[in-house]
Amino acid sequence: MSVQKFFGADGTSVERVVINGPQGSSAEVYLYGATVTSWKCDGKERLFVSRLAKLDGSKPVRGGIPLVFPQFGPGALPQHGFARTRQWTLLGAEEHGQGVVVNLQLKDNEDTRASKWPFKFDLLYTIDLTATTLSTIIKYENVDTQPFSFTSLMHTYLRVPDIAGTTVTGLKDVVYVDKIKGGGDLVEERDAVTVAANEDRVYVDVPGIVNVNYGSESVEIRRFNFKDIVLWNPWAEKAAEMSDFADDEYPQMICVEAGTVASEISLRPGQTISCGQILTFNGSASHL
Ligand code: TA6
C-alpha cells in the first residue's frame, strides 16, 4: 500500500496523487477540484472519465467524481458551483489496517469571497480506499460569522460495460423530478430502473441503499447524510453538445450522484456536518 505524488509542470506543486490499496485496488485524485479520476478494484476500472476530458485545470473534469458545492446546477454561481474548479490542498495520507486514507482541504479565498456565495468555509475531504470500497466524505464547516446554506453533490460517473444491460435498484416508490420532461413530482414505479435515452432526474429523500448492477457485478452506493440521488446519462444528443465527451461514449457510463440538492443544508457559525458516500464493488451481486 502506498501513496504516490505526481507534480505539475512547475515541478513544485502536486498535481495528482495515486493511492495504491490492498489486493490491487487503487485510486487517483487530481488536486484540481479534488476530483477522483480513477478507482480500480477487482482488476478493473470502476469510474468513467471521457477520453476527451480536460485534465489541465482548464475546465471541470468530465468524469470520475467531480464535487458540486455550494450550488447544484445553474444559478447565481457558475453551473455546479466552484469547488470542482478550485485547487485543493493535500493535507496528508496514511495507511490503516484495511487500506489508505488521503485528506484534502478547500477554504474560502479572495475569489470565492468575491463570488455570489461570499462566505467563509472550510471543507475537509477524506478519501478512503480499501480492497473493495471507496469512501468519499466531506466535512463542511461554517467558519463565517453568518449562517449559510448550500447544496452539494458527488457527481459520480460510473463506468459500465453497457448501459443497455445496466439497472439501478433502490429507487422504487421514491419521488423524483424529471429535469428533461419537466412537470411536477413523479413516483418511480420500477424495482430496476433502466436508461435508454437522455435522462436527468433528481430522486428526492431516497430512503435506502442504491445499487448499480451490470451482469453479475454491482456497485453499491451507501450515502452518509446525503438525502438525494441524481441519475444522468447525456445519451447521443447531449453527448454531441459536449466538447469534452466523445459521441460514442454514453453507453459506457451512468452518473448516479449522491447529494443534497432538492433542499439546502444550513450551518450556523462554527457548525459542521459530514456528508458523503461509500462505494462498494460487489463481484457476486448477491443482492439481485
Ligand atoms: O447532475 C446532472 C447534471 O446536472 C445534468 O443536468 C448535466 O448538466 C450534468 O449535470 C453535467 O453538468 P456539467 O456542468 O458537468 O456539464
Side-chain angles (χ1 to χ4, degrees), residues 12-266:
T12 54
S13 55
V14 178
E15 181 182 62
R16 63 190 171 97
V17 293
V18 170
I19 312 168
N20 299 302
Q23 295 172 33
S25 63
S26 69
E28 177 187 61
V29 191
Y30 273 72
L31 271 60
Y32 178 75
T35 312
V36 176
T37 50
S38 170
W39 171 40
K40 293 192 178 107
C41 75
D42 199 44
K44 276 196 237 160
E45 178 59 60
R46 304 293 164 186
L47 296 178
F48 167 88
V49 175
S50 171
R51 63 177 184 270
L52 302 181
K54 294 288 182 191
L55 296 171
D56 59 2
S58 61
K59 65 183 294 183
V61 177
R62 181 59 69 197
I65 311 178
L67 300 176
V68 170
F69 169 89
Q71 168 201 293
F72 173 72
L77 295 171
Q79 159 104 341
H80 291 333
F82 49 60
R84 64 177 182 164
T85 55
R86 288 280 165 304
Q87 218 52 38
W88 289 57
T89 304
L90 177 64
L91 294 181
E94 59 188 304
E95 291 177 25
H96 57 79
Q98 286 74 46
V100 187
V101 66
V102 166
N103 286 302
L104 301 119
Q105 183 179 42
L106 183 70
K107 291 181 167 186
D108 54 283
N109 63 18
E110 227 174 289
D111 291 350
T112 66
R113 289 192 298 274
S115 80
K116 291 274 187 333
W117 200 87
F119 302 101
K120 294 188 174 153
F121 63 88
D122 189 341
L123 305 185
L124 176 64
Y125 189 27
T126 301
I127 300 166
D128 193 342
L129 176 75
T130 72
T132 59
T133 69
L134 180 72
S135 154
T136 53
I137 308 279
I138 299 178
K139 187 176 92 172
Y140 308 79
E141 182 172 2
N142 178 345
V143 292
D144 204 292
T145 56
Q146 306 293 317
F148 63 51
S149 299
F150 60 94
T151 50
S152 188
L153 171 122
M154 296 184 167
H155 201 297
T156 309
Y157 290 72
L158 290 170
R159 178 170 290 282
V160 295
D162 186 356
I163 191 73
T166 299
T167 65
V168 181
T169 47
L171 297 172
K172 189 166 187 307
D173 300 330
V174 176
V175 169
Y176 70 94
V177 175
D178 188 318
K179 288 171 62 179
I180 294 172
K181 299 198 181 87
D185 291 356
L186 300 163
V187 177
E188 183 55 71
E189 294 170 355
R190 299 168 290 177
D191 285 309
V193 173
T194 52
V195 174
N198 175 209
E199 292 286 3
D200 195 352
R201 298 174 168 209
V202 178
Y203 288 88
V204 182
D205 285 333
V206 179
I209 293 172
V210 169
N211 276 280
V212 177
N213 319 289
Y214 40 87
S216 65
E217 298 182 335
S218 76
V219 172
E220 176 191 274
I221 303 168
R222 198 183 287 262
R223 282 155 302 125
F224 183 67
N225 276 342
F226 271 150
K227 293 179 174 176
D228 312 319
I229 288 275
V230 174
L231 189 147
W232 180 62
N233 186 293
W235 220 250
E237 59 265 40
K238 285 278 185 295
E241 292 170 13
M242 295 186 283
S243 61
D244 57 353
F245 190 98
D247 294 356
D248 61 354
E249 288 182 316
Y250 65 88
Q252 270 71 55
M253 54 75 65
I254 187 170
C255 283
V256 182
E257 312 158 20
T260 296
V261 297
S263 54
E264 289 195 311
I265 298 172
S266 297

